[in-house]
Amino acid sequence: MTGYTMLRNGGVGNGGQTCMLRWSNRIRLTWLSFTLFIILVFFPLIAHYYLTTLDEADEAGKRIFGPRAGNELCEVKHVLDLCRIRESVSEELLQLEAKRQELNSEIAKLNLKIEACKKSIENAKQDLLQLKNVISQTEHSYKELMAQNQPKLSLPIRLLPEKDDAGLPPPKVTRSCRLHNCFDYSRCPLTSGFPVYVYDSDQLAFGSYLDPLVKQAFQATARANVYVTENADIACLYVILVGEMQEPVVLRPAELEKQLYSLPHWRTDGHNHVIINLSRKSDTQNLLYNVSTGRAMVAQSTFFAAQYRPGFDLVVSPLVHAMSEPNFMEIPPQVPVKRKYLFTFQGEKIESLRSSLQEARSFEEEMEGDPPADYDDRIIATLKAVQDSKLDQVLVEFTCKIQPKPSLPTEWALCGEREDRLELLKLSTFALIITPGDPHLVISSGCATRLFEALEVGAVPVVLGEQVQLPYQDMLQWNEAALVVPKPRVTEVHFLLRSLSDSDLLTMRRQGRFLWETYFSTADSIFNTVLAMIRTRIQIPAAPIREEAAAEIPHRSGKAAGTDPNMADNGDLDLGPVETEPPYASPRYLRNFTLTVTDFYRSWNSAPGPFHLFPHTPFDPVLPSEAKFLGSGTGFRPIGGGAGGSGKEFQAALGGNVPREQFTVVMLTYEREEVLMNSLERLNGLPYLNKVVVVWNSPKLPSEDLLWPDIGVPIMVVRTEKNSLNNRFLPWNEIETEAILSIDDDAHLRHDEIMFGFRVWREARDRIVGFPGRYHAWDIPHQSWLYNSNYSCELSMVLTGAAFFHKYYAYLYSYVMPQAIRDMVDEYINCEDIAMNFLVSHITRKPPIKVTSRWTFRCPGCPQALSHDDSHFHERHKCINFFVKVYGYMPLLYTQFRVDSVLFKTRLPHDKTKCFKFI
């Protein structure tokens, strides 16, 4: 107890002291902490405050810490130095920033100068390349001129004979007249142009006796002929119409001969005169028989051997369609090849051979020799046996159901009316024509009428009798359109006709249709053929065909053409030089006086027409013989040879057989000025472009304030007489190149596509080469043709809204193609592109060529064209079927051939091959 108490008491006393110590320690620590807080917090705040007021001391003598005497404190001096240093550094930084901005501006200017220098270097390279091309072309032209070394000669002075000059001495016998002894060549120099004087029928004594239709048709065609002149003193040829006479007028031979010799320019013997006797009926009188025609040529459908002078007189076709054009809708199609009857013949022989020969001797005592055997009985028996055999369906009738037409002795008279005969011939594959039994009758109007009707409806003529003189036989190759069989071979005729293949039959039928349309069908074709035959015989070239005079619309130009990115994106591909020299026109036709006999015969017997019958064009092509054009099969006029080359050399020059050539763009437009301007601007910088001909198809002229773009080549704006899509293919005289790029005003083509198409066309100059392809198809349910624009691997047409073709086809389209086709184009305001494809395929028998895989070419955002109309395709269906009627068959040919650019735009080094391939 005592111990515990002592411990407790002791513990109490010591614990009080400890607590006091702890308390005093805590007080000291608290004070110390407070003091440190004051020092660490308030002193920095006070110092910061006074330091921030240093900048406000704007007076030199102001004291910051209140009144103080003596010198400045060291701390204040130090702060002022720091402030001065800061200001100096700030000023230097501002100066450095200004210098930095100035240097950046100078760098930007230098970069611009560098870019400008690069552009100037590129332009200088282009200019240098163009200058090299110009120098090269100039050197080439100089070499050509030096190689030709042909001085230009003046035309020879033409010597005109006196009016009463008799010319050559007369031959002993007029029947021996030929060109060398009965024709005065001095009146027909090579450079004369073949002037022809036509006597006015109304001024002649027997003019009132002429058949009014024949006289009217003859006068109409003479007025429109390019060779006819009213100046008789300079005429090379004089033409007089003597028949056919009206019924029952009979002009005695002596009276007719007297009137002929009284003609003002007859000059005693009638040299250089042509007497034409046209027949409309099968029994036309042989007016000139027993009439002394002197040295005058005779052109008619009936000749006796004693009357006909080979190589001098002309056998012409009868004038069936006097004042009317053939109705193509009534002409049967050329297919199917085989018709109901294998062959047909209807006729009746009035008089026997022996009686006819006796009658012939009564008025022609010059006939000598014994009469030949009469094969007509054998012919009748053989043909009846074929009909009775029933091997083939044939129709032969040797007795007319009604009174036959009057005819010459020994001639097979025509049966029935013309319409009835045509209906039978439409059902006949072959049409038999039995020549007269009298061998002295060279040709008769009846035989010529049978030949005319057979060719008209597509029945292949089979002429029994090789002695006959068919119309224009010395110029036409009748074996391509008819079969001429000697009468002794009549027993082999059936076998011969059965042996012909369908393709041969179709070829002969097509050629017969061509001959009929060109030489027989109208008065104009007959008159042109007569003049062409005489002109060809005396070797005078055809007159140049007329070109359409371009009535230019004045327009302002000068607006710098922009560059379409789509047009200029050619990478490193050089499409060719942009010509800086004057436009280079294609060489003109220079073979007027060097045509060979082969050329003459090819031109007279080949589609589409006789290129010596019609005036020649400045760009008459010389195509391969397979195309059946005028020419010797040597291609178009080569003016140089290619030098090969690859890569850059290939791109920079055209090469080939015509290394220097340009093309003309023909663009049809109608009141779409904005679209037109955009299309013209896209042609800026296009190589080998000669000029642009804009066919303004609207009666409303362009806006006066319209500014046309300057694209580096001339732009010719041509005004048309009427709104017609046929104006697209008029042979404007402003087109001076063979190559034409026909393009719509809303077509959108890149330069590389155009150049590729141009290169391909140069390899196939007789074809249409273009971009959008179409094809025709046979509609089985409706038994008609359809026009199809769907995407297809096979095509038969290339639309001329973006296509190359030869200017020669513009002449054929405007002047040779049947007018009925152009009329339908005007009626529907449609189908002109189909008509051009029909024409070219009909001429060449080749399909067009499509380049690239492009199927459409319309520009985005352009106004709608005529092709967007719902009736557009229905009209094109009708056009195709009508064109088939006019041509008589479907001339379009299918093709799966397409030309694509494989390496033409491939990015290869310039030292590597860079060409194009055909696939």
Side-chain angles (χ1 to χ4, degrees):
M1 184 69 181
T2 301
Y4 173 75
T5 304
M6 287 177 64
L7 179 60
R8 182 176 181 182
N9 290 335
V12 169
N14 293 333
Q17 293 177 359
T18 302
C19 291
M20 289 297 293
L21 288 173
R22 292 177 178 173
W23 183 79
S24 61
N25 290 334
R26 290 176 179 172
I27 292 176
R28 284 197 296 272
L29 289 172
T30 302
W31 176 253
L32 181 59
S33 300
F34 179 75
T35 303
L36 291 173
F37 176 79
I38 294 298
I39 292 172
L40 295 175
V41 174
F42 285 96
F43 272 74
L45 292 175
I46 294 172
H48 180 268
Y49 171 75
Y50 281 102
L51 287 176
T52 56
T53 59
L54 287 174
D55 294 335
E56 298 178 0
D58 53 351
E59 295 181 3
K62 185 176 180 180
R63 299 184 181 276
I64 300 175
F65 297 104
R68 59 180 180 272
N71 297 326
E72 297 290 337
L73 297 175
C74 293
E75 292 81 359
V76 174
K77 290 181 179 180
H78 181 68
V79 170
L80 290 175
D81 291 339
L82 293 176
C83 291
R84 284 193 296 272
I85 292 172
R86 191 189 69 171
E87 290 177 356
S88 176
V89 170
S90 299
E91 185 177 355
E92 289 180 358
L93 290 176
L94 291 175
Q95 292 177 356
L96 290 175
E97 178 65 21
K99 289 182 179 180
R100 186 183 68 83
Q101 293 179 358
E102 183 178 355
L103 290 175
N104 288 338
S105 176
E106 292 180 359
I107 291 172
K109 292 180 180 179
L110 291 176
N111 288 332
L112 292 177
K113 290 183 179 180
I114 292 173
E115 293 297 329
C117 291
K118 289 181 178 180
K119 291 182 178 179
S120 62
I121 291 174
E122 293 296 328
N123 293 334
K125 290 182 179 179
Q126 294 293 332
D127 294 340
L128 179 61
L129 180 61
Q130 293 178 4
L131 289 176
K132 289 182 178 179
N133 291 330
V134 172
I135 293 173
S136 176
Q137 293 172 356
T138 305
E139 292 177 350
H140 182 74
S141 301
Y142 175 76
K143 291 179 180 179
E144 286 181 352
L145 293 175
M146 294 300 295
Q148 292 177 358
N149 194 23
Q150 294 179 353
K152 293 184 177 180
L153 302 178
S154 300
L155 294 177
I157 299 176
R158 183 178 180 183
L159 301 177
L160 297 178
E162 298 293 337
K163 292 183 179 180
D164 299 330
D165 184 14
L168 298 174
K172 296 181 180 180
V173 183
T174 58
R175 287 185 55 188
S176 62
C177 261
R178 300 297 184 269
L179 288 175
H180 69 277
N181 58 1
C182 287
F183 191 85
D184 185 4
Y185 281 89
S186 65
R187 300 196 64 89
C188 306
L190 291 176
T191 58
S192 64
F194 192 62
V196 177
Y197 178 80
V198 180
Y199 286 95
D200 187 359
S201 300
D202 294 330
Q203 302 298 326
L204 301 177
F206 55 84
S208 59
Y209 302 150
L210 295 175
D211 186 307
L213 288 179
V214 174
K215 182 171 65 174
Q216 185 178 357
F218 180 80
Q219 292 175 344
T221 188
R223 285 193 299 266
N225 193 274
V226 66
Y227 297 105
V228 173
T229 179
E230 296 182 357
N231 188 354
D233 295 334
I234 66 171
C236 164
L237 195 69
Y238 299 86
V239 179
I240 177 174
L241 179 68
V242 298
E244 127 177 306
M245 294 291 182
Q246 301 183 61
E247 294 182 353
V249 176
V250 177
L251 196 62
R252 291 179 299 175
E255 183 179 355
L256 178 59
E257 182 176 331
K258 179 181 178 181
Q259 295 185 15
L260 289 177
Y261 277 75
S262 63
L263 292 174
H265 307 286
W266 188 260
R267 297 186 179 91
T268 70
D269 59 3
H271 61 273
N272 291 41
H273 276 64
V274 180
I275 305 173
I276 299 180
N277 180 21
L278 298 177
S279 59
R280 291 184 57 237
K281 301 182 294 293
S282 60
D283 59 337
T284 300
Q285 309 168 42
N286 189 357
L287 293 176
L288 299 175
Y289 191 78
N290 286 334
V291 173
S292 176
T293 56
R295 294 184 184 177
M297 302 179 189
V298 177
Q300 60 182 10
S301 300
T302 301
F303 277 104
F304 283 98
Q307 181 186 13
Y308 180 68
R309 296 166 291 184
F312 193 73
D313 293 328
L314 295 90
V315 178
V316 300
S317 168
L319 181 61
V320 178
H321 300 287
M323 291 300 295
S324 62
E325 293 288 335
N327 188 354
F328 293 103
M329 300 304 294
E330 296 181 357
I331 300 176
Q334 298 185 20
V335 289
V337 177
K338 298 293 181 61
R339 297 178 177 177
K340 179 179 179 180
Y341 299 108
L342 177 64
F343 62 83
T344 59
F345 177 80
Q346 284 182 324
E348 183 173 344
K349 192 173 181 181
I350 306 301
E351 299 185 25
S352 65
L353 174 63
R354 192 166 301 278
S355 62
S356 66
L357 290 178
Q358 292 174 357
E359 182 178 353
R361 285 195 178 91
S362 65
F363 58 77
E364 181 58 46
E365 298 178 355
E366 296 180 0
M367 291 185 177
E368 299 177 356
D370 297 327
D374 188 357
Y375 289 101
D376 289 354
D377 294 337
R378 185 184 304 176
I379 292 174
I380 295 174
T382 302
L383 296 182
K384 285 186 175 180
V386 174
Q387 185 178 22
D388 296 338
S389 66
K390 306 295 183 181
L391 294 176
D392 286 294
Q393 193 169 1
V394 300
L395 191 151
V396 290
E397 296 178 353
F398 301 103
T399 304
C400 297
K401 298 178 181 179
I402 59 176
Q403 182 67 25
K405 302 292 182 181
S407 61
L408 294 175
T410 75
E411 182 185 18
W412 288 91
L414 295 171
C415 294
E417 299 297 331
R418 167 178 157 79
E419 291 75 15
D420 299 330
R421 297 194 299 270
L422 292 180
E423 290 300 322
L424 178 60
L425 290 174
K426 291 177 182 179
L427 303 176
S428 307
T429 306
F430 296 94
L432 295 185
I433 302 174
I434 304 176
T435 59
D438 186 355
H440 300 92
L441 186 59
V442 176
I443 184 65
S444 65
S445 296
C447 284
T449 301
R450 289 182 183 273
L451 181 65
F452 181 95
E453 293 177 350
L455 295 176
E456 181 178 5
V457 297
V460 178
V462 179
V463 182
L464 292 178
E466 80 285 359
Q467 80 284 356
V468 69
Q469 284 290 329
L470 298 178
Y472 323 119
Q473 185 165 336
D474 53 345
M475 288 292 179
L476 301 183
Q477 293 180 349
W478 278 103
N479 60 336
E480 295 182 357
L483 296 174
V484 181
V485 183
K487 287 185 177 182
R489 294 190 179 276
V490 64
T491 57
E492 301 172 333
V493 168
H494 186 208
F495 169 79
L496 177 62
L497 301 185
R498 287 287 300 272
S499 64
L500 293 177
S501 64
D502 289 354
S503 60
D504 292 339
L505 279 176
L506 185 58
T507 301
M508 297 181 70
R509 184 174 294 167
R510 186 183 301 122
Q511 183 68 8
R513 173 71 175 272
F514 157 70
L515 296 179
W516 176 78
E517 289 183 356
T518 308
Y519 306 105
F520 295 79
S521 58
T522 62
D524 186 65
S525 61
I526 294 175
F527 185 68
N528 286 335
T529 305
V530 170
L531 297 186
M533 287 194 63
I534 299 174
R535 180 177 50 76
T536 304
R537 286 175 175 178
I538 63 178
Q539 301 177 353
I540 293 183
I545 196 170
R546 70 179 182 90
E547 293 187 298
E548 289 293 326
E552 184 178 4
I553 300 177
H555 60 280
R556 293 188 304 147
S557 61
K559 182 179 68 171
T563 302
D564 193 328
N566 295 326
M567 302 293 105
D569 185 18
N570 296 315
D572 61 349
L573 179 62
D574 296 327
L575 298 179
V578 180
E579 303 294 348
T580 57
E581 63 173 350
Y584 175 76
S586 297
R588 294 284 176 165
Y589 186 66
L590 302 177
R591 300 183 65 226
N592 291 346
F593 307 108
T594 59
L595 294 176
T596 63
V597 176
T598 305
D599 294 324
F600 283 124
Y601 276 98
R602 281 182 180 168
S603 65
W604 277 80
N605 293 277
S606 302
F611 293 109
H612 294 279
L613 169 59
F614 297 103
H616 75 74
T617 73
F619 300 102
D620 276 349
V622 183
L623 299 176
S625 57
E626 292 82 0
K628 291 195 173 182
F629 262 76
L630 163 65
S632 56
T634 58
F636 278 72
R637 299 176 298 275
I639 59 174
S646 61
K648 188 174 182 179
E649 292 80 7
F650 174 80
Q651 301 169 18
L654 286 175
N657 295 320
V658 189
R660 189 184 183 194
E661 187 173 20
Q662 297 178 343
F663 63 91
T664 302
V665 169
V666 176
M667 187 177 295
L668 187 72
T669 186
Y670 186 90
E671 297 184 4
R672 298 200 296 181
E673 295 180 353
E674 182 179 357
V675 174
L676 175 63
M677 296 302 107
N678 293 334
S679 296
L680 292 176
E681 289 188 8
R682 285 194 291 270
L683 299 177
N684 183 32
L686 181 61
Y688 306 110
L689 179 59
N690 182 273
K691 69 174 60 172
V692 179
V693 176
V694 178
V695 182
W696 191 264
N697 220 25
S698 171
K700 180 182 177 182
L701 296 180
S703 303
E704 295 182 358
D705 58 348
L706 182 63
L707 192 60
W708 295 68
D710 183 7
I711 61 175
V713 297
I715 298 179
M716 174 72 65
V717 186
V718 178
R719 185 176 185 177
T720 58
E721 296 180 357
K722 64 176 182 178
N723 178 20
S724 172
L725 294 180
N726 292 315
N727 296 332
R728 178 195 296 272
F729 302 124
L730 284 174
W732 302 105
N733 58 353
E734 292 295 332
I735 301 176
E736 299 177 320
T737 61
E738 294 183 6
I740 295 177
L741 173 58
S742 174
I743 190 169
D744 288 341
D745 58 359
D746 58 355
H748 197 273
L749 294 174
R750 300 193 310 270
H751 286 188
D752 62 284
E753 292 176 322
I754 295 176
M755 289 311 304
F756 180 66
F758 182 48
R759 287 181 179 269
V760 173
W761 176 84
R762 285 163 44 82
E763 302 292 332
R765 307 171 75 90
D766 60 332
R767 316 272 280 276
I768 297 178
V769 177
F771 300 89
R774 301 292 186 266
Y775 67 96
H776 67 288
W778 180 252
D779 184 8
I780 297 178
H782 298 89
Q783 293 293 294
S784 62
W785 293 103
L786 295 177
Y787 170 85
N788 202 313
S789 62
N790 296 330
Y791 291 85
S792 172
C793 295
E794 193 170 58
L795 59 98
S796 59
M797 292 175 282
V798 166
L799 301 187
T800 54
F804 285 92
F805 62 90
H806 199 283
K807 185 182 179 181
Y808 193 72
Y809 294 129
Y811 295 98
L812 298 182
Y813 184 98
S814 302
Y815 304 137
V816 179
M817 189 179 69
Q819 180 63 35
I821 296 180
R822 294 190 292 271
D823 292 341
M824 190 166 196
V825 171
D826 288 336
E827 178 183 354
Y828 286 150
I829 317 181
N830 199 344
C831 307
E832 86 287 355
D833 47 1
I834 300 178
M836 177 59 82
N837 276 271
F838 266 70
L839 174 65
V840 177
S841 295
H842 171 65
I843 293 169
T844 63
R845 302 306 303 136
K846 297 178 183 178
I849 296 179
K850 173 175 169 52
V851 293
T852 75
S853 59
R854 179 189 285 261
W855 205 261
T856 59
F857 53 88
R858 300 295 179 188
C859 63
C862 290
Q864 287 190 350
L866 294 174
S867 59
H868 294 276
D869 193 345
D870 293 337
S871 61
H872 177 75
F873 286 95
H874 298 289
E875 293 172 350
R876 294 173 87 80
H877 299 329
K878 296 179 181 178
C879 287
I880 286 185
N881 287 280
F882 178 76
F883 296 165
V884 170
K885 280 282 188 181
V886 174
Y887 283 98
Y889 74 110
M890 169 54 76
L892 298 179
L893 298 173
Y894 292 107
T895 180
Q896 299 175 8
F897 178 78
R898 192 183 80 197
V899 185
D900 281 336
S901 173
V902 176
L903 295 178
F904 190 62
K905 285 200 64 178
T906 305
R907 303 295 186 243
L908 296 176
H910 286 312
D911 58 344
K912 303 296 182 182
T913 301
K914 186 179 293 184
C915 306
F916 60 87
K917 293 183 178 180
F918 300 130
I919 62 171

